[in-house]
Amino acid sequence: MVIPAQPKPLQGEPMVIYMGPQHPSTHGVLQVELHTDGEIVNRAIPRIGFLHRCKEKIGESVPYDAYVPYTDRMDYLAAMNTNWAWASAVEKLAAIEVPERAEYIRVYVAEFNRIASHLVALATYGLDLGAWTPLLHAFRERESVLDILEELSGGRLCFGYMRIGGVANDITPRSIEMGKAFLKQFRAKLDSLNELLSFNHIFIRRAANIGVIPGEQAIAYGMTGPMLRASGVDWDMRRDEPYSIYPKLNFDVPVGQGLKGKTGDNWDRYWVRVQEMYESMKILEQVIDGLPEGEFRAKVPAILRPPAAEVYCRQECPRGEVAFYLISDGGKTPYRMKVRGPSFCNLSILETISKDMLIADLVSTLGSFDIVMGEVDR
Amino acid sequence: MNILSEVWSGFTTTLKGMWVTGREYLTGKPITVQYPYTKREMPYRFRGMLVNDVSICNGCTKCSRVCPVNCIEIEAEGKGKERHVTKWVLNYQKCCWCELCVEVCPDTSLLMSHDYETVFTDRNKMIRDFVADPIPPFTDVNPKPGTNPYPKKENEGDSESGRAAA
Ligand code: SF4
Ligand code: SF4
């Protein structure tokens, strides 16, 4: 008797899909290599480097002051903060004293930029999950923030406003008026954004309990910024390793508490950013009240030749800790420079936490990371 | 029971969000600028197309030395007061509008205008020699050197601290 060959039971084969680099939900030119089994992601490997522009090598060939426009183009959503991190690294290297008024102006623009950056993060996160209206609300507010920064620096995205030893131009009375007018109405706008998106039940179901990162794992991966704080780790450079005039200012550091699910999930990351905007508003109000008279820029030699030394200088930017490592040999340009970008470190955890996730949840998780590829690839 | 409460809270929170949209619809005003027909007013410090009035420029090459992308090419002749440029070429393709050159220019002949329509139809036109193809001299438009020749309106209290500073 001939036994007919038994058909093999129906089986799915793992399939490799490349999400990106032109995928709308990857926030730039990020490619994620997905090993999928149906709707389940077995492994998601972020592939970076599509936007690599040799920023570190360029830094070794241009003078210290002329590198400011390059830092604009690293974290282009928070150019002021990256500018500032660079300027303060060089100031530390060359031991330049920054006038107090300049520090106030720096905090003023940096906190406004933090608000603008977080608004983009929230808006695009909503967009990733299919919410279109919050994007329009958030971008309308962001435009008014950019108007204030444009009034001061002349640019809307790449500000290039910081200089070694201060800022490029003095703060104008009109920009303070604009800032006051913005702060007056922004709290109500943020509340309505919360109603629109943050507490929407559908949104919460898409974000809560997904992509949970425990605090210890977050520290192990070198995560910083809102992502670290959302995991319940109470660490903010502005408060714990204070620089500039932050010790004089009074603000809280929001930490993820797992209000809608587990601590460190996507919704927590989102919510920490919302709360940080409220805190930034507090800071800005204090800065406007306390703006001292004085110089906006220290006297710095036209060609800066810092003494041969080595510094590591870090600052809290909207996405986390931006740091510059500089070695000088006493020449016009740095001997070696290295950038530590927060998005790069934050992105590295994606492969670990995306195991056995649905593809739709992976998009939600990636959106909550708020990465900027310009700074991941540099 | 659980499903019912889920549906209920999904329904009510969505309704709340729609209330925000409705309120905005009834009370809000559109803020969109219909760009080619209406144009926004640029702030005083706006960094638009870089222009150089070569009749003032003394050819000191400070701007080309500070430029991070080396997009200015200068040839000058003469000594002292006589010194003038014979070639002052700007490559708009490379320029990143950083304003570092404007800051160092001692004669304030170099300025960033308020012209932001940076579209060229020919790539060769993006490399502009301001000696061969000069702009209208600043003094015709605005008698005070060091202020922007193309602003629509200056901000109050800014004209001193703006351009010529630093
Ligand atoms: S604006 Fe910047 S990039 Fe353009 S010419 Fe001046 S220094 Fe060079
Ligand atoms: S810095 Fe000013 S004066 Fe000197 S060459 Fe450049 S444009 Fe001319």
Side-chain angles (χ1 to χ4, degrees):
Chain A
M1 202 175 93
V2 181
I3 304 166
Q6 293 288 321
K8 277 190 191 149
L10 220 49
Q11 252 177 4
E13 263 180 38
M15 184 160 77
V16 180
I17 303 175
Y18 290 95
M19 187 165 101
Q22 284 109 353
H23 196 275
S25 74
T26 54
H27 297 271
V29 282
L30 168 70
Q31 186 183 53
V32 185
E33 188 185 317
L34 300 178
H35 294 252
T36 60
D37 182 3
E39 272 286 297
I40 311 281
V41 177
N42 287 335
R43 207 170 161 213
I45 310 161
R47 298 241 182 269
I48 60 171
F50 293 92
L51 206 57
H52 181 55
R53 289 151 298 170
C54 312
K55 288 252 185 265
E56 290 173 1
K57 196 68 197 166
I58 292 172
E60 291 161 21
S61 60
V62 297
Y64 291 92
D65 211 359
Y67 194 65
V68 173
Y70 287 98
T71 57
D72 278 344
R73 280 128 182 111
M74 276 178 204
D75 188 345
Y76 42 76
L77 290 180
M80 287 288 189
N81 301 70
T82 331
N83 279 177
W84 187 12
W86 168 254
S88 69
V90 179
E91 280 150 15
K92 199 172 163 191
L93 184 68
I96 294 167
E97 191 80 12
V98 183
E100 198 181 10
R101 185 178 173 85
E103 293 285 17
Y104 269 83
I105 299 173
R106 282 174 169 191
V107 174
Y108 183 78
V109 292
E111 292 302 324
F112 265 126
N113 209 168
R114 190 183 306 273
I115 290 179
S117 166
H118 280 344
L119 278 172
V120 177
L122 308 187
T124 50
Y125 189 42
L127 195 63
D128 282 346
L129 303 183
W132 168 248
T133 316
L135 176 103
L136 300 175
H137 283 251
F139 268 67
R140 183 187 57 196
E141 298 313 311
R142 178 175 178 255
E143 286 299 308
S144 6
V145 177
L146 293 189
D147 281 344
I148 299 165
L149 299 180
E150 188 188 29
E151 164 74 21
L152 286 175
S153 69
R156 288 185 81 81
L157 192 72
C158 296
F159 304 108
Y161 183 54
M162 302 287 170
R163 294 287 185 272
I164 312 302
V167 292
N169 283 313
D170 202 358
I171 195 165
T172 62
R174 183 163 165 226
S175 90
I176 295 179
E177 286 309 310
M178 286 162 89
K180 275 184 189 161
F182 173 80
L183 292 175
K184 217 164 139 192
Q185 49 92 29
F186 185 57
R187 215 174 286 267
K189 290 283 164 62
L190 209 48
D191 290 343
S192 77
L193 188 74
N194 280 341
E195 257 170 48
L196 206 55
L197 186 65
S198 315
F199 296 121
N200 184 301
H201 192 70
I202 303 168
F203 175 72
I204 292 172
R205 292 290 299 219
R206 285 293 311 272
N209 281 325
I210 294 165
V212 181
I213 304 174
E216 275 158 36
Q217 201 177 12
I219 293 172
Y221 274 82
M223 281 163 45
T224 43
M227 281 191 70
L228 178 70
R229 291 193 281 279
S231 297
V233 184
D234 194 1
W235 172 259
D236 189 318
M237 211 74 74
R238 290 173 292 171
R239 185 199 61 198
D240 299 322
E241 203 176 272
Y243 52 91
S244 184
I245 55 158
Y246 281 113
K248 289 186 199 166
L249 302 172
N250 177 20
F251 62 100
D252 298 326
V253 177
V255 175
Q257 288 153 343
L259 283 184
K260 302 286 173 192
K262 293 201 188 90
T263 306
D265 59 4
N266 292 349
W267 196 83
D268 264 358
R269 285 195 275 280
Y270 169 91
W271 187 238
V272 162
R273 291 197 182 99
V274 174
Q275 284 176 304
E276 269 185 21
M277 287 201 280
Y278 286 109
E279 296 305 322
S280 286
M281 269 190 280
K282 263 196 227 165
I283 295 177
L284 283 167
E285 277 154 8
Q286 294 169 42
V287 167
I288 290 175
D289 290 340
L291 188 72
E293 291 296 320
E295 292 285 308
F296 61 90
R297 195 168 170 179
K299 292 263 176 297
V300 177
I303 296 170
L304 192 64
R305 289 177 201 275
E310 209 178 298
V311 293
Y312 184 76
C313 182
R314 50 188 191 167
Q315 283 202 353
E316 184 77 30
C317 290
R319 274 162 204 82
E321 179 184 320
V322 166
F324 287 95
Y325 178 54
L326 276 172
I327 303 179
S328 157
D329 57 358
K332 272 199 294 188
T333 58
Y335 173 73
R336 174 85 177 94
M337 74 159 291
K338 164 91 179 75
V339 190
R340 184 239 190 250
S343 300
F344 177 78
C345 300
N346 291 352
L347 183 61
S348 64
I349 203 170
L350 183 71
E351 191 177 342
T352 317
I353 60 164
S354 62
K355 201 158 168 21
D356 299 332
M357 238 181 208
L358 292 176
I359 294 181
D361 288 348
L362 181 81
V363 170
S364 160
T365 308
L366 190 57
S368 76
F369 281 16
D370 183 27
I371 47 169
V372 165
M373 289 315 286
E375 178 237 283
V376 174
D377 295 337
R378 299 192 282 274
Chain B
M1 196 59 218
N2 203 7
I3 283 184
L4 276 185
S5 75
E6 289 267 304
V7 170
W8 173 247
S9 88
F11 185 71
T12 48
T13 52
T14 308
L15 218 57
K16 260 189 206 161
M18 282 172 78
W19 163 241
V20 173
T21 310
R23 201 174 55 202
E24 208 62 46
Y25 179 72
L26 292 174
T27 62
K29 289 194 189 69
I31 59 154
T32 316
V33 179
Q34 301 296 335
Y35 160 57
Y37 309 110
T38 47
K39 287 182 182 170
R40 324 185 15 241
E41 205 169 282
M42 288 300 154
Y44 180 68
R45 289 176 187 166
F46 180 75
R47 309 201 305 257
M49 298 279 273
L50 193 63
V51 287
N52 185 15
D53 182 358
V54 283
S55 62
I56 312 177
C57 171
N58 67 5
C60 66
T61 72
K62 273 189 179 170
C63 53
S64 79
R65 271 179 281 149
V66 80
C67 177
V69 289
N70 296 332
C71 62
I72 304 173
E73 221 178 286
I74 301 171
E75 275 171 23
E77 60 185 28
K79 280 258 158 7
K81 281 235 153 65
E82 298 289 284
R83 190 168 164 87
H84 62 279
V85 283
T86 52
K87 189 177 159 206
W88 200 97
V89 183
L90 175 68
N91 189 343
Y92 282 119
Q93 290 167 321
K94 279 161 95 182
C95 178
C96 63
W97 323 111
C98 65
E99 216 183 16
L100 289 175
C101 51
V102 176
E103 275 191 12
V104 296
C105 181
D107 289 352
T108 55
S109 73
L110 192 57
L111 287 176
M112 294 195 111
S113 69
H114 280 195
D115 178 13
Y116 54 86
E117 285 164 339
T118 55
V119 179
F120 290 85
T121 47
D122 184 355
R123 187 172 283 195
N124 296 324
K125 283 190 191 142
M126 297 186 82
I127 300 170
R128 180 167 176 183
D129 187 346
F130 283 89
V131 177
D133 180 13
I135 56 158
F138 291 162
T139 41
D140 286 359
V141 195
N142 193 325
K144 184 167 168 260
T147 50
N148 196 319
Y150 302 108
K152 285 187 183 131
K153 191 170 149 240
E154 285 189 9
N155 300 339
E156 294 81 25
D158 187 30
S159 46
E160 295 309 311
S161 62
R163 291 281 136 179

